[in-house]
Amino acid sequence: MFSKFTSILQHAVEALAPSLPLQEDFVYHWKAITHYYIETSDDKAPVTDTNIPSHLEQMLDILIQEEGERESGETGPCMEYLLHHKILETLYTLGKADCPPGMKQQVLSFYTKLLGRIRQPLLPHINVHRPVQKLIRLCGEVLAAPTENEEIQFLCIVCAKLKQDPYLVNFFLENKGKRGDGKEPGADGLKEDLSSPDTGQQQSLSIGLDGPASTARSPAEGASGSYNNSSNYNLVSSLLNLTKSPRPKSLTESTELCRLLTDRLASFYQALPQSMDPLDIETVESVNWGLDVYNLKEDAAAFTGKRALISFLSWLTIVIS
């Protein structure tokens, strides 16, 4: 309650205070975030009880306003500050540690809005595509995670940007010979040096398909047994649309995308019960493949293997569509 009152009071003060130049205002909001980690000892409180979401939103608004006030393609001082000070790298580190709880969700949302709302090309910058790569690897690590929607939105906007400019795919191809040791700072090191975030080598373009969700069980299945396949459908469709771009060989020949898609299809097929009645297959032909929402308990009551059958046919339809 006290933190919410503090947030309201801060908004009131900012509204009454004279407006600062955009860069000063941008730096102010960023330093307010970093000071939280330096000054706060209670890192168990959820991020929604802090002013971090508000500061991130203000930073994004400033970047959008700055771009609108400048000529097309011109980088303003706020964007230069974000790139030069590796703000996205630092946010990735905070999101990976999920400190305070819920920070990963805020970071994913910030990345998604930044890539989606800023018109100038950002991914060619090393201090953008490198943290984007690492955030991609962070997606799909936990089944039915609270950040699932944000992860899918982030991955879809990355795919959309790659489709607009297929040459950018080259920034996301894995260089296996130059992988680092994988060591990244955790929450314990956040307060020590926020100005020196970890930098890693380029990662894979697999975008979560080779993660823990690569079994026949879907990553979108929650604890309640309810399942929403639309997230997988949107993401995989975006990936497959990239293969129709002017430079499809980068994806089909230089990545493991094709193998991952077929391996997942095979795993769904192997999960089908051998005793399945062909007549049962005809009962599910009205399902809207890839966009359906269904319940595990209800499917089990219908006939054995309905859940596995729908998963297989949904994935097959996505791949061949």
Side-chain angles (χ1 to χ4, degrees):
M1 180 62 71
F2 179 75
S3 60
K4 292 183 179 179
F5 174 77
T6 304
S7 178
I8 295 173
L9 182 61
Q10 179 182 349
H11 282 299
V13 172
E14 291 175 357
L16 295 174
S19 59
L20 296 172
L22 287 182
Q23 184 177 7
E24 290 185 26
D25 201 12
F26 185 83
V27 173
Y28 162 76
H29 288 291
W30 175 239
K31 288 188 175 181
I33 293 175
T34 58
H35 285 168
Y36 167 85
Y37 292 92
I38 297 172
E39 299 172 357
T40 303
S41 57
D42 180 17
D43 56 1
K44 302 299 182 182
V47 69
T48 51
D49 287 350
T50 72
N51 293 323
I52 292 177
S54 174
H55 288 303
L56 287 174
E57 193 67 31
Q58 290 294 326
M59 289 171 62
L60 185 65
D61 290 341
I62 290 172
L63 291 171
I64 295 173
Q65 179 183 345
E66 178 184 67
E67 185 180 52
E69 295 175 353
R70 308 184 81 83
E71 296 182 3
S72 178
E74 183 181 357
T75 302
C78 296
M79 182 60 72
E80 289 283 2
Y81 185 92
L82 178 139
L83 297 173
H84 180 72
H85 289 81
K86 301 181 179 180
I87 288 178
L88 294 182
E89 288 275 5
T90 303
L91 287 176
Y92 160 77
T93 303
L94 301 177
K96 179 177 175 61
D98 199 29
C99 177
M103 188 61 185
K104 180 180 177 182
Q105 190 173 30
Q106 295 296 324
V107 171
L108 285 164
S109 180
F110 182 84
Y111 271 63
T112 301
K113 293 176 182 177
L114 181 70
L115 294 175
R117 297 182 185 179
I118 297 297
R119 297 189 302 272
Q120 61 177 296
L122 295 178
L123 286 176
H125 294 279
I126 188 171
N127 289 334
V128 176
H129 69 249
R130 180 172 290 174
V132 165
Q133 288 168 346
K134 291 190 283 187
L135 194 58
I136 287 173
R137 298 292 297 181
L138 208 57
C139 295
E141 285 191 341
V142 181
L143 294 176
T147 59
E148 182 178 79
N149 288 334
E150 287 76 16
E151 290 176 10
I152 293 296
Q153 291 171 7
F154 165 66
L155 295 174
C156 284
I157 193 64
V158 172
C159 289
K161 290 298 179 180
L162 296 181
K163 186 179 180 182
Q164 288 178 4
D165 189 355
Y167 177 78
L168 295 175
V169 169
N170 294 309
F171 292 119
F172 292 84
L173 298 180
E174 183 180 22
N175 188 346
K176 295 182 178 179
K178 293 185 178 181
R179 276 195 173 184
D181 57 8
K183 294 180 180 179
E184 293 175 345
D188 294 338
L190 295 179
K191 295 182 181 180
E192 295 181 4
D193 190 4
L194 284 168
S195 63
S196 300
D198 60 294
T199 56
Q201 298 300 328
Q202 293 187 0
Q203 304 291 351
S204 169
L205 184 66
S206 54
I207 309 188
L209 292 176
D210 59 345
S214 61
T215 61
R217 181 187 179 194
S218 170
E221 183 185 342
S224 63
S226 297
Y227 173 74
N228 186 343
N229 202 33
S230 60
S231 295
N232 271 339
Y233 179 86
N234 292 334
L235 175 56
V236 178
S237 295
S238 297
L239 281 170
L240 294 179
N241 282 335
L242 286 176
T243 65
K244 302 174 184 177
S245 66
R247 299 174 183 266
K249 289 187 178 181
S250 296
L251 282 175
T252 57
E253 297 181 3
S254 301
T255 74
E256 297 183 350
L257 175 61
C258 294
R259 182 189 65 80
L260 291 169
L261 292 174
T262 54
D263 285 354
R264 176 67 71 86
L265 183 64
S267 68
F268 281 132
Y269 177 76
Q270 292 169 0
L272 295 174
Q274 295 183 358
S275 60
M276 182 173 292
D277 190 334
L279 295 178
D280 288 334
I281 299 177
E282 297 180 1
T283 65
V284 297
E285 58 185 0
S286 62
V287 173
N288 187 11
W289 307 122
L291 300 176
D292 50 294
V293 178
Y294 51 92
N295 186 279
L296 181 59
K297 294 181 180 179
E298 294 177 359
D299 292 340
F303 64 86
T304 302
K306 182 178 179 181
R307 158 76 165 82
L309 175 63
I310 291 178
S311 296
F312 168 72
L313 293 177
S314 296
W315 194 263
L316 176 64
T317 304
I318 292 171
V319 172
I320 66 177
S321 61

